[in-house]
Amino acid sequence: MEALKVKNQELESILHIANHDLRTPLVNIAGFSGELSKSFQDLQKTLEKVDDPWELKKELTEKLKEDFSDSLDLISAGATKMKLMLDGLSHLVKAGFSAAKIERLNMNILIGTLLKTIRFQIQQAQTEIAVEELPDCLGDNSQINHVFLNLLENAIKHRDPSQTGKIRVSGRMNNGYSIYCIEDNGPGIEVGNLEDIFKVFYRLNPAKNNGEGVGLAIVRQIVNRHNGKVWAESEIGRGSNFFVKLPNHKKNLDLMGNNTY
Ligand code: ADP
């Protein structure tokens, strides 16, 4: 019953997004297609009106440059944006339906391997990463990899460029759960936005970063399906802490849908 409720909430939020957020690029595409069609009619009139080939060349060149180029660029940008959003939605839906094969995960090995795969990004960003001894947990290897990859990549991506990026991964056990923390010294997040960042397509400072805003929504979906919890604590100028709570004991594993243990 609980699984059904979660699934319904997921579907509702996806429908809401499809209806609301995808409209913005669509409105742009429709608007600029209208402009393009007007420019096209103008072009036809010019062709009918002007006989002198040099005059015609001059007028056509100007019109092509002024009227067509901008509209085409904006239509193409709108289409790219829609494609990225639809890709994001499809990842979200896929993450929601893929069955979890729950096993005991050695998080020291998992995080160690993950850091090797993003070594290039870490070097490029000149970020220092410290990992403490981590307790293990119960989870689907590939899905939990995805969760931590996303959080680590976010900590790198949303760093404060004015200082050396520092990330610390730690963990502790509590009441049959393992609670992990990914701490960064980035710009921080306003307290009022700490829940919003887990919503699909929600991005702070969209002008500054080129993400699609689905990463944390997928993270939350995966963690919820593990009967866990993910949340952030932060303050502007004081970095961010992302916490992931996952079952460490079978008793806390509330298998949902077609998940197996
Ligand atoms: P994306 O990173 O693709 O934009 P996410 O869903 O992963 O999307 O994150 C949503 C937003 O949360 C980001 O746009 C960013 O503004 C904010 N955010 C996520 N992680 C951090 C972090 N470690 N520090 C500061 N802001 C963050």
Side-chain angles (χ1 to χ4, degrees):
M1 213 42 206
E2 187 55 27
L4 202 63
K5 206 171 128 203
V6 172
K7 212 61 293 114
N8 269 340
Q9 279 170 353
E10 283 169 8
L11 284 176
E12 254 176 49
S13 90
I14 289 170
L15 273 178
H16 174 79
I17 293 142
N19 189 32
H20 180 263
D21 298 36
L22 282 169
R23 269 177 204 270
T24 313
L26 200 59
V27 166
N28 270 334
I29 292 175
F32 287 109
S33 302
E35 296 278 309
L36 211 55
S37 146
K38 264 194 247 146
S39 309
F40 190 69
Q41 283 166 9
D42 261 16
L43 204 66
Q44 271 181 324
K45 278 189 201 137
T46 310
L47 273 173
E48 282 159 16
K49 200 171 66 190
V50 185
D51 287 332
D52 174 6
W54 286 108
E55 178 72 5
L56 189 65
K57 189 176 172 195
K58 197 169 140 247
E59 285 223 20
L60 288 186
T61 311
E62 263 168 35
K63 279 200 187 307
L64 284 176
K65 209 164 102 199
E66 277 169 24
D67 301 344
F68 281 74
S69 174
D70 273 1
S71 298
L72 284 173
D73 280 354
L74 291 161
I75 288 172
S76 157
T80 308
K81 173 93 190 148
M82 278 192 84
K83 183 185 177 306
L84 286 172
M85 290 172 107
L86 286 168
D87 284 350
L89 274 185
S90 109
H91 285 144
L92 183 72
V93 173
K94 272 192 201 132
F97 282 100
S98 60
K101 186 173 158 283
I102 306 291
E103 56 188 314
R104 186 155 287 279
L105 301 174
N106 180 327
M107 293 301 284
N108 295 304
I109 296 180
L110 188 142
I111 297 288
T113 314
L114 209 54
L115 290 178
K116 281 191 194 141
T117 64
I118 55 168
R119 198 154 53 192
F120 183 71
Q121 275 162 271
I122 299 170
Q123 271 173 8
Q124 285 279 303
Q126 298 184 328
T127 301
E128 292 167 12
I129 304 200
V131 184
E132 293 182 0
E133 185 70 20
L134 303 170
D136 52 15
C137 67
L138 296 174
D140 177 286
N141 188 27
S142 130
Q143 295 184 16
I144 298 304
N145 251 292
H146 186 92
V147 165
F148 283 89
L149 175 64
N150 223 292
L151 295 176
L152 286 166
E153 281 185 330
N154 269 353
I156 298 170
K157 187 164 68 170
H158 302 292
R159 66 186 178 279
D160 172 2
S162 70
Q163 57 174 330
T164 304
K166 290 199 173 116
I167 299 171
R168 194 168 70 103
V169 186
S170 57
R172 64 188 162 88
M173 277 176 56
N174 183 282
N175 259 333
Y177 284 92
S178 295
I179 303 174
Y180 305 96
C181 175
I182 295 178
E183 179 185 345
D184 66 52
N185 65 338
I189 300 161
E190 262 182 64
V191 176
N193 290 326
L194 287 175
E195 264 308 296
D196 294 332
I197 56 172
F198 290 94
K199 291 181 185 155
V200 189
F201 294 140
Y202 191 91
R203 291 185 294 151
L204 304 167
N205 307 319
K208 275 200 204 152
N209 77 70
N210 56 1
E212 272 319 307
V214 284
L216 288 178
I218 295 180
V219 162
R220 177 158 275 179
Q221 174 155 291
I222 293 176
V223 174
N224 283 352
R225 282 166 50 104
H226 278 75
N227 201 29
K229 209 177 150 203
V230 56
W231 71 99
E233 289 175 9
S234 181
E235 248 181 81
I236 290 289
R238 289 181 167 254
S240 308
N241 287 351
F242 281 83
F243 294 93
V244 180
K245 178 177 169 186
L246 288 166
N248 186 296
H249 195 281
K250 265 197 307 204
K251 71 171 190 244
N252 291 330
L253 202 62
D254 172 22
L255 290 180
M256 291 203 250
N258 48 353
N259 296 349
T260 54
Y261 178 60

